[in-house]
Amino acid sequence: MAERENTDPQKMEKIVSLCKSKGFIYQSAELYGGLNGCWDYGPLGAELKRNLKDYWWRKNVQERDDILGMDGSILTHHAVLTASGHVGGFSDPMCDCLLSKARLRADQIDPQSGTAYHYTGASHAESGFSVEKPFSVLIDPTANQNENNARKVAKQYYAQFLNGQDVPAKKLELAGESTTEEVDTTKYNPENGSLLTEAREFNLMFQTKMGASSDDNDPNAVAYLRPETAQTIFVQYKNVLDSSRVKLPFGIAQIGKAFRNEINPRNFTFRSREFEQMEIEFFCRPEDGLRLTEEWLETRLSFYEEIGVPREKLHVLDVPDGERAHYSAKTYDIEYEFPFGIQELEGVAYRGAYDLTKHQEHSGKNIEYFDEETKERFIPHVVEPSAGCDRTVLAVLCESYDVEDLTKEGAKKKDERTVMRFKPCIAPIKAAILPLLKNKPELVAKAKEVQHLLQPFMNVFYDETAAIGRRYRRQDEIGTPFCIAIDFETLGEEGPNGEDLTDTVTVRHRDSMEQERIAISDLLPWLLERLR
Ligand code: GAP
């Protein structure tokens, strides 16, 4: 089992590079230097993500009688997010490096020990420059650092106040040097030793203004880009209930964009500022909440297996008291062994009656459930399986990536095959259609016939360039599970044992590289059965 800190940065680099070169994921606005924390899905990435969302929707909405779908607005009323607690409390502690101005998450700084050098200011006699401001630098004597390292950093810091005066930082005189020994402190930037500002709470929501309000400070014009899809579900729960006449337990599912102004977006798409969630709010009687939380955990673990993320790479964290939201009696995090460590994919949280109660209080409207059998009125409890779509795509990409050594014994040249082993149900391209030669019109016509036969039912790709072996490898790299070759036997030439293979094609399997002969008339049902 992988350790939480056991990482493979080289593998991650290769995956990021393949994502760009093959058209899965690009940095947003790369042409202009990139928009930090935002990503664009290219042609193959868009297919992969769409297939994942369709599969999730089919399994959680269409194949269940007790879950209904919805698609809410992204722009969210400020009152909704005030009631939910996001306006007041959806924040991370943040601090700034006094030297580099980098912004860091205060709760993610690794504790450090060492000698802190403190100064009261700096001056330069010749120019008359002087500044009085306390500043400190932490140095690590065990890493061969000494007072000279501290002084260099301090001079760089004070040089910021020169206001254009042409004085080199190293010519500054430091004032009031003193030292203290620090143990497990988080007050210094691990990158450069500079003192950080005190931590401040930083709200993660993106705020915007609705309409052309005459008053810039009109609080009623404020709206937010939703930080989670969940709140739209809570706010529409009563409408869904009344319009669909469902009975408890039932769920409302939604897939959609969410936005968080993350302080440190990182690990490719893992922590982004714009991302998609796949959330279910499952409403139930209070006495069923804990049992359903356990059931949902199992259901969600099975889902990941179905899309190709094996159980042994998933970890279930039973979030301890004190780390859960105060209203949650139980929360599980489903984590995956990413190449950058074991990290959360999805939360399965028992949220009790918290959200609906808050919306009832703040809106002043009664949103209780009426049980016709028992004649009781009450606020339902909620179990919430909340998955990140982009994180799941990333887990699938990491899990599918494989480099296979096919070098034959005694061969001088190494033969490596990169293969994305996507499950057929989510693979971006389901089948590649390959006429053996492009300069034989009969082969091309037959291949186009096969393409048109399959196209209405699945995403296929027609390719007639390069040798067939090379075309197979290109499809392996983008994870196409089946390659269909149209050859001279398809057109009526005798097979190797004199058999009639007219109107049959060769299907090559991506993972085993084995080939089999299938009649064109059987091809569609044969493929559909394997793509479910
Ligand atoms: N409604 C509950 C909720 O939003 P969350 O744990 O904050 O809970 C749920 O988010 C899931 O959304 C996470 O497990 C993760 O998969 C995804 N997610 C959250 N923040 C994200 C981010 N900045 N970038 C990508 N995915 C994110």
Side-chain angles (χ1 to χ4, degrees):
M1 187 196 289
E3 293 302 318
R4 213 153 271 274
E5 305 304 329
N6 187 2
T7 59
D8 188 348
Q10 277 99 21
K11 179 176 176 186
M12 200 57 221
E13 263 172 44
K14 285 182 187 153
I15 292 169
V16 173
S17 150
L18 180 134
C19 280
K20 182 176 171 187
S21 65
K22 297 293 160 194
F24 284 97
I25 301 172
Y26 317 118
Q27 166 78 70
S28 174
E30 193 193 68
L31 209 53
Y32 292 95
L35 184 62
N36 197 10
C38 299
W39 301 93
D40 295 337
Y41 288 77
L44 293 179
E47 290 290 337
L48 179 65
K49 195 173 181 190
R50 176 179 292 266
N51 291 344
L52 170 68
K53 290 192 282 186
D54 286 351
Y55 190 78
W56 185 93
W57 193 261
R58 175 149 66 85
K59 290 284 156 182
N60 288 300
V61 181
Q62 294 169 344
E63 290 185 8
R64 288 186 68 131
D65 298 330
D66 55 354
I67 302 188
L68 303 155
M70 71 165 282
D71 185 7
S73 70
I74 285 171
L75 288 170
T76 307
H77 198 301
H78 59 86
V80 170
L81 296 164
T82 303
S84 66
H86 285 87
V87 171
F90 191 57
S91 54
D92 280 339
M94 165 221 86
C95 52
D96 295 332
C97 172
L98 288 175
L99 180 63
S100 68
K101 310 295 174 218
R103 186 153 281 180
L104 308 173
R105 273 272 298 267
D107 55 343
Q108 288 177 351
I109 296 168
D110 287 334
Q112 307 162 83
S113 301
T115 309
Y117 281 75
H118 310 283
Y119 304 92
T120 55
S123 59
H124 182 249
E126 266 173 54
S127 64
F129 166 78
S130 103
V131 55
E132 273 182 42
K133 272 184 195 291
F135 180 70
S136 307
V137 186
L138 187 75
I139 58 134
D140 181 2
T142 61
N144 273 341
Q145 293 181 333
N146 58 31
E147 63 274 19
N148 293 328
N149 299 86
R151 288 171 191 159
K152 190 171 169 198
V153 173
K155 286 180 184 181
Q156 283 166 357
Y157 167 73
Y158 288 116
Q160 297 174 105
F161 303 100
L162 279 163
N163 284 336
Q165 289 186 66
D166 191 17
V167 177
K170 61 180 179 196
K171 298 273 178 198
L172 295 178
E173 285 288 323
L174 294 168
E177 185 178 273
S178 64
T179 61
T180 53
E181 291 306 312
E182 304 286 331
V183 178
D184 289 342
T185 174
T186 53
K187 285 161 63 178
Y188 298 88
N189 185 351
E191 290 293 314
N192 56 18
S194 160
L195 187 66
L196 298 163
T197 59
E198 289 293 322
R200 279 169 290 141
E201 288 301 318
F202 173 76
N203 195 297
L204 299 182
M205 285 199 294
F206 285 95
Q207 203 189 81
T208 187
K209 289 273 168 70
M210 296 275 282
S213 170
S214 55
D215 178 0
D216 270 357
N217 298 319
D218 177 3
N220 291 320
V222 169
Y224 295 94
L225 303 188
R226 64 183 175 195
E228 58 174 13
T229 59
Q231 294 307 321
T232 6
I233 300 183
F234 294 129
V235 168
Q236 292 299 352
Y237 132 89
K238 193 73 167 81
N239 275 334
V240 174
L241 185 66
D242 293 346
S243 55
S244 312
R245 300 193 330 277
V246 273
K247 289 202 169 70
L248 290 182
F250 75 94
I252 304 177
Q254 181 169 208
I255 299 179
K257 292 264 185 175
F259 303 82
R260 297 183 189 175
N261 199 359
E262 299 284 359
I263 295 168
N264 289 327
R266 65 177 183 283
N267 289 331
F268 200 23
T269 58
F270 180 82
R271 190 173 301 286
S272 311
R273 291 186 167 137
E274 174 175 342
F275 55 97
E276 256 178 301
Q277 291 185 312
M278 306 186 288
E279 293 198 298
I280 300 165
E281 305 304 327
F282 201 74
F283 301 95
C284 62
R285 297 185 63 89
E287 61 271 27
D288 294 333
L290 281 173
R291 174 182 58 81
L292 286 167
T293 308
E294 303 299 321
E295 279 181 28
W296 268 111
L297 175 65
E298 279 312 308
T299 307
R300 296 302 305 145
L301 287 168
S302 307
F303 175 87
Y304 288 108
E305 284 192 283
E306 287 165 31
I307 58 164
V309 182
R311 188 74 156 241
E312 61 272 18
K313 293 277 200 74
L314 294 172
H315 299 251
V316 176
L317 177 72
D318 186 351
V319 181
D321 290 349
E323 286 180 32
R324 287 192 304 271
H326 63 92
Y327 48 79
S328 174
K330 195 83 189 166
T331 297
Y332 292 112
D333 283 348
I334 300 178
E335 301 177 318
Y336 170 69
E337 289 175 17
F338 286 99
F340 44 82
I342 298 175
Q343 298 274 355
E344 177 186 329
L345 262 186
E346 164 160 0
V348 179
Y350 176 30
R351 297 177 74 118
Y354 176 79
D355 303 272
L356 291 182
T357 306
K358 285 284 167 204
H359 288 302
Q360 174 158 285
E361 274 170 27
H362 282 250
S363 67
K365 309 252 168 64
N366 188 320
I367 54 173
E368 282 175 338
Y369 177 82
F370 177 63
D371 189 321
E372 281 172 18
E373 277 166 35
T374 62
K375 308 293 177 214
E376 285 171 278
R377 284 184 192 280
F378 60 95
I379 296 276
H381 278 210
V382 174
V383 178
E384 179 196 62
S386 171
C389 179
D390 306 82
R391 282 193 191 173
T392 309
V393 168
L394 186 58
V396 163
L397 284 164
C398 295
E399 193 54 42
S400 305
Y401 178 80
D402 190 19
V403 180
E404 203 179 2
D405 188 354
L406 297 177
T407 315
K408 299 224 169 67
E409 236 188 270
K412 286 203 186 103
K413 222 172 133 206
K414 203 169 168 123
D415 181 13
E416 277 187 340
R417 173 173 92 120
T418 301
V419 48
M420 296 299 284
R421 299 190 189 275
F422 298 127
K423 282 270 172 172
C425 61
I426 57 166
I429 296 170
K430 308 299 184 190
I433 295 153
L434 317 171
L436 191 62
L437 299 171
K438 69 172 175 190
N439 55 4
K440 289 278 171 231
E442 308 89 307
L443 284 177
V444 169
K446 198 52 141 183
K448 293 270 180 196
E449 204 181 298
V450 173
Q451 181 188 15
H452 295 140
L453 169 80
L454 300 178
Q455 234 165 9
F457 301 93
M458 64 193 74
N459 192 29
V460 297
F461 182 74
Y462 176 87
D463 185 8
E464 57 181 25
T465 59
I468 191 97
R470 178 132 178 65
R471 280 184 272 166
Y472 284 153
R473 291 290 177 95
R474 283 206 295 242
Q475 294 304 315
D476 293 342
E477 259 192 310
I478 58 172
T480 307
F482 306 106
C483 282
I484 300 166
I486 288 84
D487 52 24
F488 290 106
E489 280 117 331
T490 315
L491 301 180
E493 211 168 78
E494 266 184 8
N497 304 316
E499 66 273 49
D500 179 8
L501 297 173
T502 312
D503 281 332
T504 66
V505 289
T506 303
V507 177
R508 174 201 183 255
H509 294 253
R510 176 197 65 202
D511 293 342
S512 62
M513 295 190 291
E514 276 168 14
Q515 303 191 359
E516 60 182 305
R517 206 81 204 174
I518 294 179
I520 293 176
S521 55
D522 294 336
L523 200 53
L524 181 59
W526 187 94
L527 281 167
L528 289 177
E529 203 186 312
R530 285 157 181 81
L531 299 176
R532 280 159 48 79

